[in-house]
Amino acid sequence: NLNVTENDLVKQTNTYSAYIRERVFWIKSSAPVSLSEIKQTSYSIRWLFSPTHWKELLKEVKQDVYKNPVIYITAFCCFLSLVYLAYNVRIQLRIMNKEIIRINYRKF
């Protein structure tokens, strides 16, 4: 009975192992980087840093802010809350640090 169970476990382990080898760890190979891809990359970088595209992006964001002001106001308030929280945490840490230093000096 124990041998049968062990054999079933070995078979199931081998099945899962084959499945993992075939499907999970399989990485599709791709062709090496060619000169045309390097040229395309340079065009893409120029496009990314083009002032006209950034102006277009700002125009689209501005239109989106006007269409969805509640979302942006909420996000802005959350951002301000996080900045305020970080500021208060810094202040509290400085106060705690001064107290710890003061306590350590008293021990000597």
Side-chain angles (χ1 to χ4, degrees):
N1 193 14
L2 183 61
N3 287 335
V4 173
T5 306
E6 184 180 2
N7 287 337
D8 288 342
L9 178 63
V10 169
K11 286 179 186 176
Q12 193 173 17
T13 303
N14 289 335
T15 303
Y16 282 124
S17 177
Y19 176 82
I20 289 172
R21 258 187 271 115
E22 290 175 7
R23 292 178 179 84
V24 176
F25 293 129
W26 181 76
I27 300 173
K28 185 177 180 180
S29 299
S30 62
V33 177
S34 66
L35 186 61
S36 64
E37 290 175 348
I38 294 172
K39 288 179 183 178
Q40 182 63 36
T41 303
S42 68
Y43 294 134
S44 299
I45 290 173
R46 273 191 242 130
W47 182 89
L48 178 65
F49 291 108
S50 170
T52 56
H53 293 109
W54 283 101
K55 288 177 186 176
E56 184 179 335
L57 173 70
L58 290 175
K59 185 179 96 175
E60 293 295 325
V61 168
K62 187 178 177 181
Q63 287 177 356
D64 195 46
V65 168
Y66 286 130
K67 289 179 184 175
N68 306 304
V70 174
I71 294 172
Y72 286 94
I73 290 171
T74 304
F76 184 70
C77 290
C78 289
F79 176 75
L80 286 181
S81 298
L82 288 174
V83 169
Y84 179 73
L85 179 66
Y87 175 75
N88 280 339
V89 166
R90 253 187 251 118
I91 290 174
Q92 293 299 320
L93 285 174
R94 285 183 187 137
I95 291 170
M96 288 170 38
N97 186 33
K98 288 178 184 177
E99 290 294 321
I100 291 171
I101 290 172
R102 196 175 318 152
I103 290 171
N104 287 337
Y105 282 134
R106 290 181 189 165
K107 288 183 180 178
F108 292 114

